[in-house]
Amino acid sequence: MSKTTYNYVNGEWIESESGDTIEVENPANPNEAVGRYQSSSATDATAAVEAAAAAADDWASTPGPERGRILRAAGTLLEERKDELTDVLVAEEGKAHAEAGGEVQRAIDIFHYFAGKAADLGGTMKSPSAPNQNLYTRTEPVGVAALITPWNYPIAIPAWKLAPALATGNAVVLKPASAAPGVAIELARALDEAGLPDGVLNVVTGSGSAVGTEFIEHDAVDAVSFTGSSEVGEMVYDRATDAGKRVQTELGGKNPTVVAASADPAEAADIVAGGGFGTTGQSCTACSRAIVHEDVYDEFVAELVDRAESIDVGPGADHEMGPQVSESELESTLDYIEIAENEGATLAAGGNTPDGEAVETGYFVEPTVFTDVDSEMRIAQEEVFGPVVAVIKVSDFDEGLHVANDVHYGLSASIVTDDHTEANRFIDEVEAGVVKVNDKTTGLELHVPFGGFKRSSSETWREQGDEGLEFYTIEKTVYDSY
């Protein structure tokens, strides 16, 4: 029998109103239940929001250095439990062990980073036009922040929303994704043990239709931060803004890597394979389009196919690439593979579920490469969210740039080139919030902004770094005459 975990509301671990639960399975072995969590209702979500609202004023008035001390202590607790958290992440989400460990470390680093930032918050002093007057700004929290997070980075994304929200003095309600909620709940456990006051953080598991909707629409919620698909995120944005909330969304991607004529095909294949097949392709910044100059196309394809076919697929605990998170995600990827073949793309590698005893029960798919792809095909336009790379041939840099921008998304983009002019034109002209030169589309620094263009983001506030603090704060300007 798998362990039952409760909601965290007003400093207590409590059962949902109904007592119903959600069972989380191991995607590498769906017959193995690895956790049981509360299937909460709107009533449970309301209780969490009310607890946050009641705690908000006292937490807002807590000095920034004290808030930072609690975040730092929580980060240290996470560091002490890194191995345990890594195992939970592998079991619930399926990530390869090395990738899971890196994600847990990122959460630790995020807590330590924003712990330091908490002491620097305050405002700025300005010179007034009038005599005998102080003129300055104060940075204040917005109030109660609702965070709705996805399953693909189940500890990193909650951390990079939660840490700045708490550092700036907001009370928080958090709904982690039902597919892999365990590590997000461990963030609450660490903060509780670090001394976070009751009610400042509340974590409720359950469906988006019940818990998420209440978080988005409740009158006491002041800000909503959502990461997930573009379709759901756009609905969240509309409903939250209609309710007068401040809203931040980070959504899907169809991320290109342009391989220029000057690129080394083997190096470019390493970069594309790392971006396209890492984390089983289940990243909003994953490379799903390789846009390749015709002069290096054939050699690049051969190199990429070689890398795809050499990846060791199996349970994340001891293999290079783990399963997809669920049966529905696997079926979606296989559907896109079939669609690509029907539209005339050439299957150059993968395309099937792998054979072997280690992979016979899980949601595994082979790293897949399509060639002879036209930019108008669905495989080149729609987010697959699996380890599938579409290779598109172009005749020159300008065509490559046009194809890179010829989608409704604009999250991450990269170019592989030895031509400095091409690199700088790409930086200037590509429509993406994250731009990389001679690097893979995935992988983000925590101290710089993250966000996308077009359907990849609400284009309101960025996450991470100093800009990650801005969403959770509001400025007050003070004229103090004496």
Side-chain angles (χ1 to χ4, degrees):
M1 173 101 33
S2 55
K3 174 185 174 183
T4 298
T5 300
Y6 298 99
N7 290 333
Y8 180 69
V9 177
N10 203 25
E12 297 183 357
W13 297 96
I14 61 174
E15 190 177 33
S16 66
E17 177 193 35
S18 68
D20 294 338
T21 58
I22 304 164
E23 191 165 75
V24 174
E25 61 188 21
N26 182 347
N29 179 12
N31 297 320
E32 176 190 355
V34 294
R36 184 175 284 106
Y37 301 91
Q38 302 306 300
S39 180
S40 305
S41 65
T43 301
D44 298 308
T46 299
V49 173
E50 290 174 349
D57 287 346
D58 284 347
W59 182 241
S61 64
T62 300
E66 172 61 13
R67 297 198 297 263
R69 184 198 65 75
I70 293 172
L71 288 176
R72 188 174 296 106
T76 299
L77 288 168
L78 295 173
E79 193 164 26
E80 292 170 357
R81 300 167 186 169
K82 181 179 177 181
D83 290 345
E84 173 191 344
L85 296 175
T86 299
D87 290 342
V88 172
L89 202 162
V90 170
E92 289 193 351
E93 198 269 349
K95 256 191 191 81
H97 192 274
E99 294 172 340
E103 183 182 340
V104 173
Q105 185 61 53
R106 183 177 184 82
I108 295 164
D109 294 343
I110 287 167
F111 268 71
H112 287 156
Y113 173 80
F114 284 107
K117 288 291 183 182
D120 293 334
L121 300 169
T124 57
M125 181 69 73
K126 298 292 185 179
S127 180
S129 299
N132 303 323
Q133 187 180 74
N134 293 319
L135 179 63
Y136 59 94
T137 64
R138 289 168 50 96
T139 301
E140 299 185 353
V142 296
V144 175
L147 315 180
I148 302 172
T149 60
W151 52 261
N152 61 322
Y153 285 92
I155 191 168
I157 292 178
W160 81 45
K161 295 179 187 290
L162 179 57
L166 294 176
T168 50
N170 295 275
V172 174
V173 290
L174 167 65
K175 192 200 89 65
S178 297
V183 281
I185 288 171
E186 290 304 317
L187 295 178
R189 203 178 305 280
L191 284 160
D192 181 74
E193 293 180 28
L196 190 72
D198 294 349
V200 174
L201 170 62
N202 306 272
V203 183
V204 179
T205 55
S207 69
S209 59
V211 177
T213 297
E214 182 65 11
F215 281 0
I216 292 164
E217 297 182 351
H218 196 290
D219 287 344
V221 170
D222 301 287
V224 176
S225 181
F226 172 89
T227 298
S229 71
S230 295
E231 290 75 15
V232 176
E234 288 160 3
M235 179 188 69
V236 168
Y237 182 84
D238 289 343
R239 296 177 76 167
T241 53
D242 285 348
K245 318 295 185 188
R246 177 181 291 205
V247 189
Q248 170 192 71
T249 65
E250 294 302 339
L251 310 173
K254 193 64 184 174
N255 311 296
T257 294
V258 172
V259 180
S262 62
D264 175 76
E267 177 190 0
D270 285 338
I271 288 170
V272 170
F277 305 136
T279 65
T280 320
Q282 297 178 134
S283 172
C284 56
T285 56
C287 175
S288 60
R289 295 181 295 149
I291 302 166
V292 185
H293 193 284
E294 61 188 7
D295 289 354
V296 293
Y297 180 87
D298 290 340
E299 190 174 351
F300 169 83
V301 168
E303 295 281 358
L304 184 62
V305 166
D306 179 67
R307 282 151 185 76
E309 293 178 343
S310 68
I311 291 173
D312 177 33
V313 179
D318 50 12
H319 290 77
E320 186 180 0
M321 191 181 95
Q324 299 219 242
V325 75
S326 67
E327 185 176 15
S328 63
E329 289 294 328
L330 173 61
E331 289 176 349
S332 176
T333 297
L334 294 174
D335 285 345
Y336 270 110
I337 290 170
E338 182 178 359
I339 289 166
E341 291 185 285
N342 290 339
E343 288 187 332
T346 299
L347 182 63
N352 297 294
T353 55
D355 296 324
E357 184 178 349
V359 294
E360 63 183 1
T361 60
Y363 304 129
F364 297 99
V365 64
E366 295 171 334
T368 299
V369 177
F370 278 103
T371 59
D372 302 316
V373 175
D374 184 274
S375 185
E376 299 303 314
M377 292 179 179
R378 288 179 63 186
I379 197 71
Q381 289 289 323
E382 299 176 14
E383 187 175 40
V384 177
F385 227 64
V388 180
V389 176
V391 186
I392 303 169
K393 184 190 292 187
V394 294
S395 59
D396 56 28
F397 172 80
D398 286 315
E399 184 184 3
L401 183 62
H402 171 76
V403 171
N405 289 334
D406 188 29
V407 292
H408 294 296
Y409 300 98
L411 188 54
S412 182
S414 73
I415 185 170
V416 186
T417 183
D418 286 338
D419 186 318
H420 193 61
T421 298
E422 284 183 347
N424 280 280
R425 276 197 61 197
F426 188 78
I427 293 167
D428 288 344
E429 298 177 41
V430 74
E431 297 167 353
V434 176
V435 185
K436 297 189 174 187
V437 177
N438 297 325
D439 200 358
K440 61 186 180 180
T441 57
T442 52
L444 303 167
E445 297 276 6
L446 62 85
H447 58 291
V448 290
F450 171 62
F453 293 175
K454 300 189 280 190
R455 289 193 72 196
S456 291
S457 170
S458 57
E459 297 185 342
T460 48
W461 284 268
R462 293 310 200 207
E463 296 193 280
Q464 305 194 104
D466 289 335
E467 287 79 359
L469 299 165
E470 293 178 0
F471 174 68
Y472 299 103
T473 58
I474 192 164
E475 294 293 318
K476 178 183 290 182
T477 303
V478 178
Y479 297 77
D480 177 19
S481 300
Y482 55 90

